[in-house]
Amino acid sequence: MTFLSVVSMPVHARGVLLSESDRTPVLGERSRPGSRASHDMAASDTAMMRRCIALARSSNSRGEYPFAAVIARHGEFICESSNMARTERDLTRHAEMVAISLAQKQLRSTSLDNCTIYSTVEPCAMCSYAIRESRIGRVVFGLRSPVMGGFSRWSILNDAGLSSILPEVFAPPPDVLAGCLQHQVQKLFRKRNRLAWEFMKSRKIFVESSDLDQVQSSRSKARSTLWLGLANAARTLLVDRVWRG
């Protein structure tokens, strides 16, 4: 079963109504606080996370845990996937991995620069490495994972060494937003299996952030928009043809 679908209009034009309390207070990597761009990014993040949560909720009928991922570029929806590990009996079929594969096919490129991936929980180490190698620019998720997370535990998403040693292959670390709609994600897990959720909480497998945590990467601190654009173009047009065939 495939969850790929494509739309041609921005999410804010598709009838998604957001109240003031729902809007995530996000500082975009190239947006000023209070600017229209940051407001639009916050609205887009909230809408995409709601879509992600709705998809995760629907996966319960297939016996999957409520893991889901959505990928967008410049506020436009690209693709989505729920967890497929149990359905396909393949432990590598995490929601983020499937969504990245779908996005690369849809965009006809292994490089997903300027894309944002949304996930109900923090991507694990495996998914985080795929995010880095596919050059996704932003990562937004609900619950943190101090045990398995590729940001909280393994420091893959924020590892600047990958891009400094192999700048031809890896882009600078993505911007990371933790805690987006985390209370709604927690309700999903509790509703699916309350006992299992209490076990996860006691082991701190998934936890809430004390507040929304915005992590600005070296991408936004030290790199200009022009430089990033040129670097991404060079990787895609030159390096990828040799390195990735």
Side-chain angles (χ1 to χ4, degrees):
M1 182 176 188
T2 228
F3 292 90
L4 176 64
S5 55
V6 180
V7 295
S8 58
M9 63 182 74
V11 296
H12 55 74
R14 300 208 313 274
V16 179
L17 301 178
L18 303 172
S19 67
E20 288 297 325
S21 61
D22 287 331
R23 290 192 174 100
T24 308
V26 180
L27 296 178
E29 57 185 76
R30 286 179 290 276
S31 304
R32 300 184 310 275
S35 69
R36 167 126 190 193
S38 68
H39 180 275
D40 289 347
M41 182 178 287
S44 177
D45 285 346
T46 302
M48 291 298 176
M49 273 300 293
R50 283 182 167 178
R51 182 177 189 128
C52 191
I53 289 170
L55 180 60
R57 185 181 296 114
S58 70
S59 69
N60 286 341
S61 62
R62 296 182 291 105
E64 296 280 2
Y65 273 94
F67 301 115
V70 169
I71 293 179
R73 175 176 275 176
H74 302 307
E76 294 190 8
F77 171 77
I78 301 298
C79 66
E80 64 185 12
S81 177
S82 61
N83 218 49
M84 304 295 288
R86 189 166 185 174
T87 305
E88 299 186 3
R89 297 181 180 275
D90 182 346
L91 296 178
T92 67
R93 301 289 280 170
H94 288 196
E96 297 94 332
M97 299 288 284
V98 179
I100 289 170
S101 179
L102 291 173
Q104 289 175 332
K105 290 181 175 67
Q106 176 61 33
L107 298 175
R108 298 181 180 180
S109 173
T110 57
S111 187
L112 302 181
D113 52 280
N114 297 319
C115 285
T116 300
I117 187 166
Y118 301 85
S119 179
T120 49
V121 302
E122 179 180 344
C124 70
M126 174 179 69
C127 297
S128 294
Y129 188 83
I131 288 169
R132 290 302 307 275
E133 190 158 2
S134 62
R135 304 168 190 150
I136 288 174
R138 293 182 71 237
V139 181
V140 180
F141 56 83
L143 297 174
R144 280 184 177 272
S145 181
V147 175
M148 300 177 291
F151 180 79
S152 300
R153 173 72 184 276
W154 300 110
S155 299
I156 297 170
L157 292 178
N158 53 336
D159 181 6
L162 287 171
S163 51
S164 64
I165 296 172
L166 274 175
E168 302 85 358
V169 178
F170 294 96
D175 290 329
V176 176
L177 175 65
C180 187
L181 301 187
Q182 59 185 349
H183 301 304
Q184 295 185 32
V185 175
Q186 186 181 101
K187 288 178 182 177
L188 274 182
F189 279 88
R190 186 187 300 117
K191 185 175 181 180
R192 190 205 184 267
N193 189 318
R194 189 177 187 88
L195 183 61
W197 171 244
E198 292 302 324
F199 173 81
M200 292 177 190
K201 281 181 62 178
S202 67
R203 294 286 182 91
K204 299 187 183 303
I205 296 172
F206 300 122
V207 301
E208 291 187 346
S209 299
S210 57
D211 197 357
L212 285 168
D213 296 325
Q214 174 74 19
V215 181
Q216 294 293 87
S217 72
S218 58
R219 171 190 297 268
S220 54
K221 290 179 179 177
R223 306 296 180 112
S224 69
T225 302
L226 177 60
W227 170 251
L228 281 173
L230 292 174
N232 285 331
R235 292 186 191 100
T236 302
L237 297 176
L238 301 176
V239 179
D240 286 359
R241 291 186 181 182
V242 176
W243 188 279
R244 299 178 176 177

